Short mmCIF file of all heavy atoms in Angstrom, two decimals:
data_model
loop_
_atom_site.label_atom_id
_atom_site.label_comp_id
_atom_site.label_asym_id
_atom_site.label_seq_id
_atom_site.Cartn_x
_atom_site.Cartn_y
_atom_site.Cartn_z
N GLY A 323 -21.57 11.07 -45.45
CA GLY A 323 -22.09 12.34 -44.95
C GLY A 323 -21.38 12.81 -43.70
O GLY A 323 -21.04 13.99 -43.57
N THR A 324 -21.12 11.89 -42.77
CA THR A 324 -20.42 12.26 -41.53
C THR A 324 -18.99 12.68 -41.83
O THR A 324 -18.50 13.68 -41.29
CB THR A 324 -20.44 11.08 -40.53
OG1 THR A 324 -21.80 10.77 -40.22
CG2 THR A 324 -19.71 11.44 -39.25
N ARG A 325 -18.31 11.97 -42.73
CA ARG A 325 -16.94 12.37 -43.09
C ARG A 325 -16.92 13.75 -43.74
O ARG A 325 -16.05 14.58 -43.44
CB ARG A 325 -16.32 11.33 -44.04
CG ARG A 325 -15.88 10.07 -43.36
CD ARG A 325 -14.98 9.22 -44.24
NE ARG A 325 -15.50 8.98 -45.57
CZ ARG A 325 -16.20 7.91 -45.92
NH1 ARG A 325 -16.44 6.96 -45.05
NH2 ARG A 325 -16.63 7.76 -47.16
N GLN A 326 -17.89 14.01 -44.61
CA GLN A 326 -17.92 15.31 -45.27
C GLN A 326 -18.18 16.43 -44.25
O GLN A 326 -17.57 17.49 -44.30
CB GLN A 326 -19.00 15.34 -46.36
CG GLN A 326 -19.05 16.70 -47.05
CD GLN A 326 -19.27 16.58 -48.53
OE1 GLN A 326 -18.67 15.74 -49.18
NE2 GLN A 326 -20.13 17.41 -49.04
N MET A 327 -19.09 16.18 -43.31
CA MET A 327 -19.37 17.19 -42.29
C MET A 327 -18.18 17.39 -41.36
O MET A 327 -17.90 18.51 -40.93
CB MET A 327 -20.62 16.82 -41.49
CG MET A 327 -21.91 16.86 -42.30
SD MET A 327 -22.19 18.42 -43.18
CE MET A 327 -21.64 18.00 -44.81
N LEU A 328 -17.44 16.32 -41.10
CA LEU A 328 -16.22 16.43 -40.30
C LEU A 328 -15.21 17.33 -41.00
O LEU A 328 -14.60 18.21 -40.39
CB LEU A 328 -15.64 15.03 -40.05
CG LEU A 328 -14.33 14.95 -39.27
CD1 LEU A 328 -14.48 15.54 -37.88
CD2 LEU A 328 -13.87 13.49 -39.18
N LEU A 329 -15.05 17.14 -42.29
CA LEU A 329 -14.14 17.98 -43.07
C LEU A 329 -14.58 19.44 -43.06
O LEU A 329 -13.79 20.35 -42.84
CB LEU A 329 -14.04 17.47 -44.51
CG LEU A 329 -13.27 18.37 -45.48
CD1 LEU A 329 -11.81 18.45 -45.09
CD2 LEU A 329 -13.43 17.89 -46.90
N LEU A 330 -15.87 19.68 -43.29
CA LEU A 330 -16.37 21.07 -43.30
C LEU A 330 -16.24 21.72 -41.93
O LEU A 330 -15.91 22.90 -41.83
CB LEU A 330 -17.81 21.11 -43.79
CG LEU A 330 -18.00 20.81 -45.28
CD1 LEU A 330 -19.48 20.75 -45.63
CD2 LEU A 330 -17.28 21.82 -46.14
N ALA A 331 -16.50 20.96 -40.87
CA ALA A 331 -16.34 21.50 -39.52
C ALA A 331 -14.87 21.84 -39.26
O ALA A 331 -14.56 22.88 -38.64
CB ALA A 331 -16.86 20.51 -38.48
N ALA A 332 -13.95 21.01 -39.74
CA ALA A 332 -12.52 21.29 -39.58
C ALA A 332 -12.14 22.56 -40.34
O ALA A 332 -11.37 23.40 -39.83
CB ALA A 332 -11.69 20.10 -40.06
N LEU A 333 -12.67 22.72 -41.55
CA LEU A 333 -12.39 23.95 -42.31
C LEU A 333 -12.96 25.18 -41.60
O LEU A 333 -12.37 26.25 -41.62
CB LEU A 333 -12.97 23.85 -43.72
CG LEU A 333 -12.24 22.93 -44.67
CD1 LEU A 333 -13.01 22.78 -45.97
CD2 LEU A 333 -10.84 23.44 -44.95
N TYR A 334 -14.11 25.00 -40.97
CA TYR A 334 -14.76 26.10 -40.26
C TYR A 334 -13.89 26.62 -39.12
O TYR A 334 -13.79 27.82 -38.91
CB TYR A 334 -16.11 25.63 -39.73
CG TYR A 334 -16.85 26.68 -38.94
CD1 TYR A 334 -17.54 27.69 -39.59
CD2 TYR A 334 -16.85 26.66 -37.56
CE1 TYR A 334 -18.22 28.67 -38.87
CE2 TYR A 334 -17.53 27.62 -36.83
CZ TYR A 334 -18.21 28.62 -37.49
OH TYR A 334 -18.88 29.58 -36.78
N VAL A 335 -13.24 25.72 -38.40
CA VAL A 335 -12.41 26.16 -37.26
C VAL A 335 -10.97 26.43 -37.65
O VAL A 335 -10.19 26.93 -36.84
CB VAL A 335 -12.46 25.13 -36.09
CG1 VAL A 335 -13.87 24.99 -35.56
CG2 VAL A 335 -11.89 23.78 -36.50
N HIS A 336 -10.59 26.12 -38.88
CA HIS A 336 -9.21 26.35 -39.32
C HIS A 336 -8.94 27.85 -39.42
O HIS A 336 -9.76 28.60 -39.96
CB HIS A 336 -8.99 25.69 -40.68
CG HIS A 336 -7.55 25.54 -41.04
ND1 HIS A 336 -6.79 26.58 -41.48
CD2 HIS A 336 -6.73 24.46 -40.98
CE1 HIS A 336 -5.56 26.17 -41.71
NE2 HIS A 336 -5.50 24.88 -41.41
N PRO A 337 -7.80 28.31 -38.91
CA PRO A 337 -7.51 29.75 -38.96
C PRO A 337 -7.29 30.29 -40.38
O PRO A 337 -7.52 31.46 -40.63
CB PRO A 337 -6.24 29.91 -38.11
CG PRO A 337 -5.64 28.54 -38.05
CD PRO A 337 -6.76 27.56 -38.23
N ASN A 338 -6.85 29.43 -41.30
CA ASN A 338 -6.59 29.85 -42.69
C ASN A 338 -7.22 28.86 -43.66
O ASN A 338 -6.53 28.02 -44.23
CB ASN A 338 -5.08 29.94 -42.94
CG ASN A 338 -4.41 30.94 -42.05
OD1 ASN A 338 -4.85 32.07 -41.95
ND2 ASN A 338 -3.38 30.51 -41.34
N PRO A 339 -8.53 28.98 -43.88
CA PRO A 339 -9.16 28.04 -44.82
C PRO A 339 -8.65 28.30 -46.24
O PRO A 339 -8.03 29.33 -46.51
CB PRO A 339 -10.65 28.39 -44.70
CG PRO A 339 -10.68 29.80 -44.25
CD PRO A 339 -9.45 29.99 -43.40
N PRO A 340 -8.89 27.37 -47.15
CA PRO A 340 -8.43 27.58 -48.53
C PRO A 340 -9.10 28.80 -49.15
O PRO A 340 -10.16 29.23 -48.71
CB PRO A 340 -8.85 26.29 -49.24
CG PRO A 340 -9.94 25.72 -48.40
CD PRO A 340 -9.67 26.15 -46.99
N VAL A 341 -8.47 29.33 -50.17
CA VAL A 341 -9.02 30.50 -50.86
C VAL A 341 -10.31 30.14 -51.58
O VAL A 341 -11.26 30.91 -51.59
CB VAL A 341 -7.97 31.07 -51.86
CG1 VAL A 341 -8.57 32.19 -52.69
CG2 VAL A 341 -6.74 31.54 -51.11
N ILE A 342 -10.33 28.95 -52.16
CA ILE A 342 -11.52 28.49 -52.87
C ILE A 342 -11.81 27.05 -52.44
O ILE A 342 -10.90 26.25 -52.26
CB ILE A 342 -11.38 28.60 -54.40
CG1 ILE A 342 -12.70 28.31 -55.09
CG2 ILE A 342 -10.27 27.72 -54.91
CD1 ILE A 342 -12.75 28.74 -56.55
N LEU A 343 -13.08 26.77 -52.26
CA LEU A 343 -13.52 25.44 -51.84
C LEU A 343 -14.52 24.93 -52.87
O LEU A 343 -15.53 25.58 -53.14
CB LEU A 343 -14.18 25.54 -50.46
CG LEU A 343 -14.68 24.28 -49.82
CD1 LEU A 343 -13.55 23.27 -49.61
CD2 LEU A 343 -15.33 24.60 -48.47
N LEU A 344 -14.22 23.79 -53.49
CA LEU A 344 -15.09 23.17 -54.48
C LEU A 344 -15.75 21.96 -53.84
O LEU A 344 -15.06 21.06 -53.35
CB LEU A 344 -14.30 22.75 -55.71
CG LEU A 344 -13.47 23.84 -56.40
CD1 LEU A 344 -12.62 23.24 -57.50
CD2 LEU A 344 -14.37 24.92 -56.94
N LEU A 345 -17.07 21.95 -53.82
CA LEU A 345 -17.81 20.86 -53.19
C LEU A 345 -18.79 20.25 -54.19
O LEU A 345 -19.61 20.94 -54.78
CB LEU A 345 -18.61 21.38 -51.99
CG LEU A 345 -17.81 21.99 -50.86
CD1 LEU A 345 -18.74 22.65 -49.85
CD2 LEU A 345 -16.96 20.93 -50.19
N GLU A 346 -18.69 18.94 -54.35
CA GLU A 346 -19.66 18.25 -55.18
C GLU A 346 -20.71 17.64 -54.26
O GLU A 346 -20.42 16.77 -53.46
CB GLU A 346 -18.98 17.15 -56.00
CG GLU A 346 -19.96 16.47 -56.92
CD GLU A 346 -19.30 15.44 -57.82
OE1 GLU A 346 -18.09 15.23 -57.74
OE2 GLU A 346 -20.03 14.83 -58.62
N GLU A 347 -21.91 18.14 -54.38
CA GLU A 347 -23.06 17.68 -53.61
C GLU A 347 -22.77 17.57 -52.11
O GLU A 347 -22.75 16.47 -51.56
CB GLU A 347 -23.58 16.37 -54.19
CG GLU A 347 -23.99 16.53 -55.64
CD GLU A 347 -24.81 15.37 -56.17
OE1 GLU A 347 -25.56 14.78 -55.38
OE2 GLU A 347 -24.73 15.11 -57.38
N PRO A 348 -22.54 18.70 -51.45
CA PRO A 348 -22.24 18.67 -50.02
C PRO A 348 -23.38 18.08 -49.18
O PRO A 348 -23.16 17.68 -48.04
CB PRO A 348 -22.00 20.14 -49.66
CG PRO A 348 -22.72 20.91 -50.72
CD PRO A 348 -22.63 20.06 -51.96
N ASP A 349 -24.55 18.00 -49.76
CA ASP A 349 -25.72 17.45 -49.06
C ASP A 349 -25.88 15.94 -49.24
O ASP A 349 -26.74 15.34 -48.61
CB ASP A 349 -26.98 18.15 -49.57
CG ASP A 349 -27.07 18.09 -51.10
OD1 ASP A 349 -26.11 18.48 -51.78
OD2 ASP A 349 -28.10 17.65 -51.63
N ALA A 350 -25.03 15.33 -50.05
CA ALA A 350 -25.15 13.90 -50.31
C ALA A 350 -24.95 13.10 -49.03
O ALA A 350 -24.02 13.35 -48.26
CB ALA A 350 -24.13 13.46 -51.36
N GLY A 351 -25.83 12.17 -48.79
CA GLY A 351 -25.73 11.31 -47.63
C GLY A 351 -26.18 11.94 -46.33
O GLY A 351 -25.99 11.37 -45.26
N LEU A 352 -26.77 13.13 -46.40
CA LEU A 352 -27.21 13.81 -45.19
C LEU A 352 -28.71 13.70 -44.99
O LEU A 352 -29.47 13.71 -45.96
CB LEU A 352 -26.85 15.30 -45.25
CG LEU A 352 -25.37 15.65 -45.29
CD1 LEU A 352 -25.20 17.16 -45.31
CD2 LEU A 352 -24.63 15.05 -44.12
N HIS A 353 -29.11 13.64 -43.77
CA HIS A 353 -30.53 13.66 -43.43
C HIS A 353 -31.04 15.08 -43.69
O HIS A 353 -30.33 16.06 -43.42
CB HIS A 353 -30.72 13.29 -41.95
CG HIS A 353 -32.14 13.10 -41.57
ND1 HIS A 353 -32.98 14.16 -41.32
CD2 HIS A 353 -32.88 11.97 -41.42
CE1 HIS A 353 -34.18 13.69 -41.02
NE2 HIS A 353 -34.15 12.37 -41.08
N PRO A 354 -32.24 15.24 -44.24
CA PRO A 354 -32.77 16.58 -44.52
C PRO A 354 -32.78 17.52 -43.30
O PRO A 354 -32.69 18.72 -43.45
CB PRO A 354 -34.19 16.31 -45.02
CG PRO A 354 -34.14 14.93 -45.57
CD PRO A 354 -33.15 14.18 -44.72
N ALA A 355 -32.84 16.96 -42.11
CA ALA A 355 -32.88 17.80 -40.90
C ALA A 355 -31.58 18.56 -40.68
O ALA A 355 -31.58 19.57 -39.98
CB ALA A 355 -33.19 16.95 -39.67
N VAL A 356 -30.48 18.13 -41.28
CA VAL A 356 -29.21 18.85 -41.08
C VAL A 356 -28.87 19.74 -42.27
O VAL A 356 -27.78 20.32 -42.30
CB VAL A 356 -28.04 17.90 -40.75
CG1 VAL A 356 -28.29 17.16 -39.45
CG2 VAL A 356 -27.77 16.94 -41.88
N LEU A 357 -29.77 19.88 -43.22
CA LEU A 357 -29.49 20.76 -44.35
C LEU A 357 -29.36 22.22 -43.93
O LEU A 357 -28.49 22.93 -44.42
CB LEU A 357 -30.55 20.60 -45.44
CG LEU A 357 -30.52 19.27 -46.19
CD1 LEU A 357 -31.61 19.26 -47.26
CD2 LEU A 357 -29.16 18.99 -46.79
N GLN A 358 -30.23 22.68 -43.02
CA GLN A 358 -30.13 24.09 -42.61
C GLN A 358 -28.82 24.37 -41.87
O GLN A 358 -28.15 25.36 -42.16
CB GLN A 358 -31.33 24.51 -41.76
CG GLN A 358 -31.37 26.02 -41.51
CD GLN A 358 -31.44 26.84 -42.79
OE1 GLN A 358 -32.34 26.66 -43.59
NE2 GLN A 358 -30.47 27.72 -43.01
N PRO A 359 -28.38 23.51 -40.93
CA PRO A 359 -27.06 23.74 -40.34
C PRO A 359 -25.93 23.71 -41.39
O PRO A 359 -24.97 24.47 -41.28
CB PRO A 359 -26.90 22.61 -39.32
CG PRO A 359 -28.30 22.25 -38.95
CD PRO A 359 -29.11 22.45 -40.22
N LEU A 360 -26.06 22.86 -42.41
CA LEU A 360 -25.08 22.84 -43.49
C LEU A 360 -25.06 24.18 -44.22
O LEU A 360 -24.00 24.75 -44.47
CB LEU A 360 -25.37 21.70 -44.47
CG LEU A 360 -24.55 21.71 -45.76
CD1 LEU A 360 -23.08 21.49 -45.47
CD2 LEU A 360 -25.08 20.67 -46.74
N VAL A 361 -26.23 24.69 -44.56
CA VAL A 361 -26.33 25.99 -45.24
C VAL A 361 -25.72 27.08 -44.36
O VAL A 361 -24.95 27.93 -44.85
CB VAL A 361 -27.79 26.32 -45.61
CG1 VAL A 361 -27.93 27.77 -46.06
CG2 VAL A 361 -28.27 25.37 -46.72
N ASP A 362 -26.02 27.08 -43.08
CA ASP A 362 -25.46 28.08 -42.16
C ASP A 362 -23.94 27.99 -42.13
O ASP A 362 -23.25 29.01 -42.16
CB ASP A 362 -26.03 27.90 -40.76
CG ASP A 362 -27.53 28.16 -40.68
OD1 ASP A 362 -28.08 28.81 -41.61
OD2 ASP A 362 -28.15 27.70 -39.70
N LEU A 363 -23.42 26.78 -42.07
CA LEU A 363 -21.97 26.58 -42.06
C LEU A 363 -21.34 27.08 -43.36
O LEU A 363 -20.33 27.79 -43.34
CB LEU A 363 -21.64 25.10 -41.87
CG LEU A 363 -20.17 24.72 -42.00
CD1 LEU A 363 -19.35 25.31 -40.87
CD2 LEU A 363 -20.00 23.22 -42.06
N LEU A 364 -21.95 26.74 -44.50
CA LEU A 364 -21.40 27.19 -45.78
C LEU A 364 -21.45 28.71 -45.90
O LEU A 364 -20.52 29.33 -46.43
CB LEU A 364 -22.15 26.52 -46.93
CG LEU A 364 -21.92 25.02 -47.08
CD1 LEU A 364 -22.80 24.44 -48.19
CD2 LEU A 364 -20.46 24.69 -47.30
N ARG A 365 -22.51 29.32 -45.40
CA ARG A 365 -22.59 30.79 -45.42
C ARG A 365 -21.49 31.40 -44.57
O ARG A 365 -20.87 32.39 -44.96
CB ARG A 365 -23.96 31.26 -44.95
CG ARG A 365 -25.03 31.11 -46.00
CD ARG A 365 -26.37 31.62 -45.52
NE ARG A 365 -27.35 31.53 -46.59
CZ ARG A 365 -28.60 31.14 -46.43
NH1 ARG A 365 -29.06 30.82 -45.22
NH2 ARG A 365 -29.42 31.09 -47.46
N ASP A 366 -21.24 30.83 -43.40
CA ASP A 366 -20.15 31.33 -42.55
C ASP A 366 -18.80 31.15 -43.23
O ASP A 366 -17.97 32.06 -43.23
CB ASP A 366 -20.15 30.63 -41.19
CG ASP A 366 -21.25 31.11 -40.26
OD1 ASP A 366 -21.86 32.17 -40.56
OD2 ASP A 366 -21.50 30.44 -39.25
N LEU A 367 -18.59 29.98 -43.81
CA LEU A 367 -17.32 29.73 -44.52
C LEU A 367 -17.16 30.68 -45.71
O LEU A 367 -16.05 31.11 -46.01
CB LEU A 367 -17.26 28.29 -45.02
CG LEU A 367 -16.72 27.25 -44.06
CD1 LEU A 367 -16.90 25.85 -44.63
CD2 LEU A 367 -15.25 27.49 -43.76
#
């Protein structure tokens, strides 16, 4: 979960993210308390 969030955070700050991002269960291994920040990040991305 931490590695996946590290990757998503890196994509968030990257000046040129990929055109398409495929994620298999981005919530896997995450505590339910961080699901809303994950959703917010995905919406921004």
Side-chain angles (χ1 to χ4, degrees):
T324 300
R325 284 194 309 265
Q326 180 141 317
M327 293 307 99
L328 178 60
L329 172 65
L330 290 175
L333 287 173
Y334 179 79
V335 298
H336 196 283
N338 299 309
V341 174
I342 189 165
L343 181 60
L344 305 174
L345 299 171
E346 183 176 1
E347 301 194 32
D349 53 307
L352 296 182
H353 188 281
V356 298
L357 290 181
Q358 189 59 57
L360 170 65
V361 168
D362 295 342
L363 173 68
L364 292 176
R365 283 182 176 139
D366 285 346
L367 273 172

